[in-house]
Amino acid sequence: MKRRNMVLAVFAMVSLLALFGTQSVFAAPIKIGVAGSHTGDLASYGLPTVNAAKLVVKDINDKGGINGQKIELVIEDDQCKPELATNAAAKLVSAKVVAVIGHICSGATKAALGIYKDSKIVTISPSATNPPLTQSGEYPNFFRTIAPDDAQAKLAANFLTKTLKLKKIAVLHDKGDYGKGFAELVKQYAEENGIQVALFEGINPGAPDYSAVINKISNAKVDGVVWGGYHPEASKLVQQMKDKGMNIPFISDDGVKDNTFIEVAGKYSEGVYATGPTDTSTNPLAIKAIADHKKEFGAEPGAFFLNAYAATQALLNAIAKAGSTDYNKIVAALQSEYVDTPLGHISFDKRGDIIGFGFSVFQVQNGKYVELK
Amino acid sequence: MEYFLKLFLSGTAKGSIYALIALGYTMVYGIIQLINFAHGEIYMIGGFTALIFGGFFFSKGMPVGFVLLFSVLLSIIYAAAFGYTIEKIAYRPLRGKPRLSALISAIGVSMVLQNFVLLAQTEKFLSFPSYLPEFKWLQPYKEYINSTQLIILGVTAVIMVLLTFLIKFTRMGKAMRATAQDMHMAQLVGVDINQVISVTFILGSALAAIGGVLICSYMGQINYYIGFIAGIKAFVAAVLGGIGSIPGAVLGSFVLGWTESLGTGYISSDYEDAFAFIILIVILLIKPEGILGRTQRQKV
């Protein structure tokens, strides 16, 4: 009897120990994957994201982690190559990561996303801008802290319709991938908004004179001109338009939202509109993130650093708010919770695109680009 | 009709831009049968020189008329020195060698000069201030033509007349024509062909410099690469009009300008270059020597 009691007591202690054991499994770190191009030609696009994730995680861990758990990063390289991205994704899945910051390039991201989707892993990219990644609805686990490629054109088209209230426009482009891509999307969205696109033409970049096409625009009696392309042609166009006495709005893209445009076009640049990424240079969190980077790594941060910083913050915030590492709860928290990041006060929409950061419309006023609110 | 007139005038303005560069091309070709691919680069250097000196004079607070005159003069001298030197080091040693050698040398010079300006100045686009006066009386017609376009048109006409006069009626012109006809024979009768060819290059480069200042003033910007694009179009214009012929270069440039302008106006600017080259092919098929070119019989 006594002996039996002893056995029971030992059993109870062992099970108690076991309980402690499970408790310590609970306190194991939360693993977050960071995937992107860390070697090869495009390493400069991927490495700043690793640095950003490290900085944010260090901050959180110094404060005691999330819900008592520390964060641990698992870093995988994909060189921006889809075939390596699937390898990286498989490795991260077997390392049992809760979520992934990455990937960097749209193609690699797309290749890896299917694997994460099947394993229910939340993925936040700081840089993949390909529109279908969110818009196709195929990847409910995907989020991004950068505006998709078509956001700029959509913004420009809405600006034409709602702010400038134009009825009939001319759309010109430089026949290049970037300029023509922007022009085609603006045309599409403008027509959806009920604006008539009277003229859609490509012009030769570098030509000295555009007066013929300007005559054509003036003959078409449009009330606005959209330019898809870069600033050298934009400044010739605005100059030659104004010389002919045409004072209709001129709207362009972030290829023109460059101070060189104002330097070259001089007084002719006054009043020109251009869309471009929202200015974050005055955001105190952005200033702090950049200063931290300089302190920790001794250099200026690289491409997509702030986007990655915001992505990591948003993810960790969502895990904290969800109170668990459950996939559905993290997704719900990402879509409902707002968080203050270097990019601003952000959240995500149902498709996974960022809310609160993206493109803004700027106008040249007194020789400077001013963000229009 | 009004629309046609606008397009026609913008084609004329465009044509006179091409003509300013084409004149130098055609003159050099007319005398030594060399397509001087570096001509576009001389035009670009002319523009840059005027920009640099103009900026310097402006900063000293000199009046606009003075700045215009002296920066143009200095850019002419500078460009002429370039033309003279290029001929001496890159073309003269190849004289009498197969014509292809000089042509390749010309392409090489063009690349060297482009990269020289890229490294010595900047890869960026720079603003080019307008040194040219604006005519108040032209204001009501600004939809048709502006002051700079009118000045370019006028300068082109004056240069064409002066060049024709020089070649037809002066001693140097006579020597030039003799050199063009037969270099060896000209040498035998006492023409200093080295001097004649140097003068040709100096003149051609001076014209390019004038073109550089005027066209950059019109565009309002300058970059190391502008000479290449302008040079190609001017070359097409010169061939179209009959390369080697002075009035031909001007006519060819206008034909090119009108084709591009009307093609843009009535069809689409997407095909601007296509129109330019279609008209070139058509004219070369009908008249292989160009509109005003003279047939050169091969001597046996």
Side-chain angles (χ1 to χ4, degrees):
Chain A
M1 196 65 184
K2 225 178 184 182
R3 203 184 153 84
R4 212 173 154 198
N5 272 347
M6 274 289 282
V7 171
L8 262 175
V10 167
F11 184 77
M13 276 182 72
V14 168
S15 33
L16 244 170
L17 268 177
L19 262 173
F20 268 109
T22 47
Q23 194 63 44
S24 71
V25 166
F26 255 59
I30 300 175
K31 286 185 180 171
I32 307 279
V34 180
S37 52
H38 307 145
T39 61
D41 295 344
L42 300 173
S44 63
Y45 285 158
L47 289 172
T49 295
V50 179
N51 290 351
K54 280 181 181 164
L55 285 176
V56 177
V57 165
K58 186 167 170 273
D59 259 12
I60 300 270
N61 282 347
D62 286 350
K63 286 177 196 154
I66 296 175
N67 309 330
Q69 288 172 279
K70 298 267 177 188
I71 312 292
E72 189 184 306
L73 292 177
V74 185
I75 297 162
E76 286 296 337
D77 178 25
D78 70 5
Q79 292 184 23
C80 268
K81 290 179 182 154
E83 65 274 18
L84 295 181
T86 50
N87 280 351
K91 279 190 205 165
L92 290 175
V93 169
S94 53
K96 300 216 181 324
V97 298
V98 170
V100 174
I101 304 293
H103 295 207
I104 300 300
C105 297
S106 291
T109 307
K110 190 168 188 217
L113 266 181
I115 296 174
Y116 298 138
K117 183 184 164 190
D118 293 340
S119 315
K120 297 219 167 229
I121 292 175
V122 171
T123 312
I124 309 184
S125 171
S127 59
T129 54
N130 181 251
L133 286 176
T134 51
Q135 290 165 12
S136 66
E138 243 179 277
Y139 307 107
N141 59 325
F142 181 66
F143 298 83
R144 58 180 155 205
T145 49
I146 191 163
D149 286 335
D150 57 353
Q152 193 176 179
K154 202 170 266 175
L155 175 71
N158 286 339
F159 182 73
L160 296 175
T161 328
K162 288 176 190 149
T163 314
L164 297 177
K165 304 204 190 315
L166 303 183
K167 297 274 175 285
K168 197 173 170 188
I169 57 168
V171 179
L172 298 182
H173 59 83
D174 64 358
K175 305 186 199 175
D177 280 345
Y178 168 72
K180 194 176 180 189
F182 174 79
E184 276 171 347
L185 287 169
V186 171
K187 176 175 186 273
Q188 185 195 325
Y189 295 133
E191 280 171 347
E192 282 170 15
N193 287 353
I195 296 180
Q196 187 194 345
V197 178
L199 212 66
F200 182 80
E201 291 199 18
I203 60 173
N204 282 339
D209 175 85
Y210 295 121
S211 54
V213 79
I214 289 168
N215 279 327
K216 200 173 179 180
I217 293 171
S218 122
N219 196 49
K221 307 232 171 338
V222 296
D223 40 27
V225 178
V226 175
W227 164 246
Y230 298 98
H231 66 83
E233 285 72 39
S235 56
K236 279 185 259 185
L237 282 171
V238 290
Q239 180 179 344
Q240 289 170 20
M241 274 168 62
K242 287 193 181 158
D243 276 346
K244 283 190 187 296
M246 285 168 72
N247 278 315
I248 53 179
F250 187 91
I251 302 100
S252 194
D253 47 31
D254 65 343
V256 171
K257 211 239 127 204
D258 185 310
N259 286 332
T260 322
F261 170 70
I262 301 176
E263 281 162 27
V264 172
K267 63 176 174 166
Y268 294 102
S269 67
E270 266 317 287
V272 166
Y273 299 101
T275 55
T278 307
D279 188 16
T280 56
S281 63
T282 54
N283 183 323
L285 288 173
I287 296 168
K288 178 186 175 289
I290 292 167
D292 284 353
H293 185 278
K294 275 189 209 154
K295 208 171 86 189
E296 184 81 20
F297 303 103
E300 289 280 337
F304 310 119
F305 171 77
L306 293 179
N307 303 70
Y309 199 95
T312 317
Q313 279 188 315
L315 175 67
L316 297 182
N317 177 63
I319 294 175
K321 289 275 157 59
S324 85
T325 52
D326 178 62
Y327 167 76
N328 290 324
K329 284 185 183 161
I330 297 177
V331 169
L334 279 172
Q335 286 169 348
S336 57
E337 298 293 337
Y338 273 83
V339 55
D340 281 316
T341 70
L343 300 183
H345 193 60
I346 63 161
S347 181
F348 297 92
D349 65 14
K350 290 279 170 243
R351 297 184 312 188
D353 274 324
I354 187 168
I355 302 171
F357 171 75
F359 287 100
S360 302
V361 179
F362 297 82
Q363 187 182 28
V364 182
Q365 292 174 359
N366 301 321
K368 247 188 239 140
Y369 269 114
V370 176
E371 191 174 335
L372 303 179
K373 305 273 176 185
Chain B
M1 191 60 211
E2 192 200 329
Y3 183 48
F4 175 81
L5 191 64
K6 278 185 190 169
L7 289 176
F8 182 81
L9 281 173
S10 87
T12 311
K14 201 172 198 177
S16 59
I17 288 177
Y18 293 151
L20 267 180
I21 309 171
L23 278 170
Y25 249 119
T26 214
M27 199 175 81
V28 168
Y29 184 88
I31 313 286
I32 60 166
Q33 279 81 48
L34 166 74
I35 296 164
N36 182 14
F37 274 110
H39 192 69
E41 268 57 53
I42 300 284
Y43 144 82
M44 177 265 296
I45 286 174
F48 258 107
T49 315
L51 178 71
I52 293 165
F53 283 114
F56 176 73
F57 291 143
F58 261 126
S59 72
K60 295 275 173 238
M62 296 177 180
V64 181
F66 176 89
V67 173
L68 174 67
L69 186 69
F70 276 84
S71 50
V72 169
L73 269 181
L74 281 166
S75 98
I76 287 175
I77 293 168
Y78 208 78
F82 256 98
Y84 174 79
T85 317
I86 290 166
E87 194 272 330
K88 205 147 195 183
I89 62 178
Y91 304 148
R92 191 170 295 181
L94 294 169
R95 202 181 290 160
K97 303 280 185 319
R99 218 181 277 169
L100 210 55
S101 314
L103 189 74
I104 292 167
S105 183
I107 293 173
V109 170
S110 154
M111 287 178 185
V112 167
L113 291 181
Q114 254 181 45
N115 287 291
F116 164 65
V117 174
L118 168 70
L119 293 171
Q121 294 298 325
T122 172
E123 79 291 349
K124 283 204 283 191
F125 277 84
L126 297 175
S127 175
F128 198 96
S130 184
Y131 297 140
L132 305 175
E134 274 195 37
F135 305 132
K136 284 275 173 291
W137 54 268
L138 207 61
Q139 270 297 316
Y141 309 103
K142 65 183 175 192
E143 281 184 49
Y144 294 91
I145 196 163
N146 69 23
S147 312
T148 316
Q149 286 174 321
L150 197 66
I151 292 172
I152 293 178
L153 194 59
V155 170
T156 306
V158 169
I159 289 179
M160 185 186 84
V161 171
L162 283 181
L163 270 187
T164 314
F165 177 81
L166 175 96
I167 288 173
K168 284 242 163 85
F169 301 109
T170 63
R171 241 181 111 73
M172 181 44 87
K174 208 178 216 175
M176 280 177 173
R177 279 179 289 145
T179 311
Q181 271 179 6
D182 190 327
M183 231 179 253
H184 291 289
M185 200 57 210
Q187 225 165 356
L188 282 180
V189 296
V191 175
D192 182 353
I193 61 162
N194 280 337
Q195 191 201 8
V196 169
I197 291 172
S198 287
V199 170
T200 309
F201 269 88
I202 288 171
L203 269 179
S205 304
L207 294 184
I210 297 174
V213 180
L214 292 178
I215 296 168
C216 290
S217 289
Y218 179 62
M219 293 195 293
Q221 56 182 249
I222 192 165
N223 169 271
Y224 74 95
Y225 200 60
I226 57 163
F228 179 76
I229 297 163
I232 292 282
K233 278 287 168 70
F235 176 60
V236 171
V239 172
L240 195 63
I243 192 149
S245 152
I246 303 280
V250 175
L251 185 63
S253 301
F254 283 137
V255 169
L256 194 66
W258 291 326
T259 313
E260 287 185 356
S261 188
L262 295 174
T264 295
Y266 288 111
I267 307 168
S268 167
S269 62
D270 284 298
Y271 304 107
E272 196 185 78
D273 283 352
F275 300 134
F277 287 103
I278 287 170
I279 197 96
L280 179 70
I281 293 169
V282 169
I283 285 184
L284 290 187
L285 282 176
I286 301 168
K287 207 163 179 290
E289 65 278 7
I291 305 173
L292 294 181
R294 231 172 296 145
T295 356
Q296 291 221 338
R297 262 175 236 121
Q298 285 288 330
K299 288 168 212 124
V300 186

